[in-house]
Structures are given as structure tokens and as C-alpha cells.
Amino acid sequence: MRAEKMRLPVLLGCAFCLTALLFAFYGFVNRAGAHRMVSQWPLGAEIPMVRKGPYLVMFLHPRCSCSLASLAELEKLVKRAPASLSVELVVMKYDRVPQSDDDEFFTAIQRIRGAGLVSDRDGQLAKKAGAQTSGVTYLVAPDRRIVFQGGLTP
């Protein structure tokens, strides 16, 4: 009889814990990628700002599935942007950098008007900029002030 009285509170407690775990997991899965917020562009020497207009710098990992989605959004953005916008794509190379024209990642990069490609072989550029995930994008004003930082995908 005592076991029957304890059954309902135990079941309710288990249901509460399971619900809390599901909400925590949902929040983790649907959270944007991490990056350290910076107010001034820290990569002046590594990615020199030689043109007068604004710079858009995107960090990408060639094997991350979100990189292709980020490049697709960037392609749409660049088509609408003024020609004075400079675009630099920093490929965080830990295992490979795209080499051939048949590679989907490399093809997507080629579709971005005027984009320069910078290889970050040891991850030091990403670390210095605070980019911890693929797709992190910075819009840098000519005075090196960061006016946007974050992702482009919805």
C-alpha cells in the first residue's frame, strides 16, 4: 500500500526531470554558434584592409555542413551590396583546404563576387578574431570598427 502512494510522486518527479532535460537539449541544439565579441578588428596585419570601403570577413570550416548554407546567404548578400564591399573568406584548415573545381565547398566560394581566400592553417586567425564556429561573420568599417558580428543564416 505504501509503494502505491509513492508511485505518483516518483512518476511526476521523473516526468519533470525528463522535461527539464529535453528543454535543456533543445536550447543547446538551437543555440547560435559561439564567438567572442570584439569591437575593433584585430587582424589588421593578417588580413590587410587595402581598400577604402567596408570589409566583410567570414570564417569557414570546409567540412562543416553549415558552411555551405553560410556561403549561400553570403552570395545573396554580396549580390545586393555595393561594389566597394570587400569580402575575405578565412578557411579554418585543420585537415584540408578545397583544391579542386568539383568540390562543392570550393564551387560555392567561387560564386562569391570578388571574394579573397585566406587559409588559417593552425586556427590562429580564428582564435585572434574570436571566431569559434564556422560561419561567424564580421562587417568591418574602414576605421576598423566592427559594425556587425554573428552568423548570416536564418
Side-chain angles (χ1 to χ4, degrees):
M1 184 113 177
R2 183 168 166 96
E4 287 181 22
K5 287 184 180 180
M6 293 300 294
R7 181 180 289 166
L8 182 61
V10 169
L11 287 174
L12 288 174
C14 289
F16 176 78
C17 288
L18 181 60
T19 303
L21 283 172
L22 288 173
F23 274 107
F25 179 72
Y26 179 78
F28 175 76
V29 168
N30 291 296
R31 188 177 69 219
H35 64 280
R36 179 176 42 88
M37 301 295 277
V38 292
S39 59
Q40 287 289 112
W41 183 240
L43 300 175
E46 296 89 345
I47 302 175
M49 298 176 66
V50 294
R51 292 178 61 186
K52 298 259 188 228
Y55 268 69
L56 188 140
V57 181
M58 179 182 278
F59 287 82
L60 297 161
H61 190 284
R63 295 212 180 196
C64 179
S65 59
C66 16
S67 293
L68 291 175
S70 295
L71 286 168
E73 292 301 316
L74 179 60
E75 181 182 7
K76 291 180 213 172
L77 180 83
V78 169
K79 283 180 180 176
R80 295 188 309 253
S84 63
L85 177 69
S86 296
V87 177
E88 296 292 338
L89 303 174
V90 181
V91 178
M92 299 179 278
K93 182 196 179 291
Y94 302 108
D95 49 4
R96 73 175 183 105
V97 168
Q99 297 293 328
S100 66
D101 291 336
D102 62 350
D103 183 53
E104 190 176 5
F105 180 75
F106 189 67
T107 302
I109 286 174
Q110 288 180 325
R111 287 195 303 263
I112 309 299
R113 179 191 74 210
L117 189 61
V118 177
S119 179
D120 186 9
R121 296 192 180 281
D122 56 4
Q124 290 304 306
L125 297 178
K127 184 176 182 180
K128 191 172 179 181
Q132 297 174 1
T133 56
S134 185
V136 172
T137 304
Y138 300 88
L139 181 60
V140 185
D143 64 358
R144 298 173 54 106
R145 202 174 23 89
I146 295 177
V147 295
F148 171 83
Q149 57 186 312
L152 298 182
T153 55

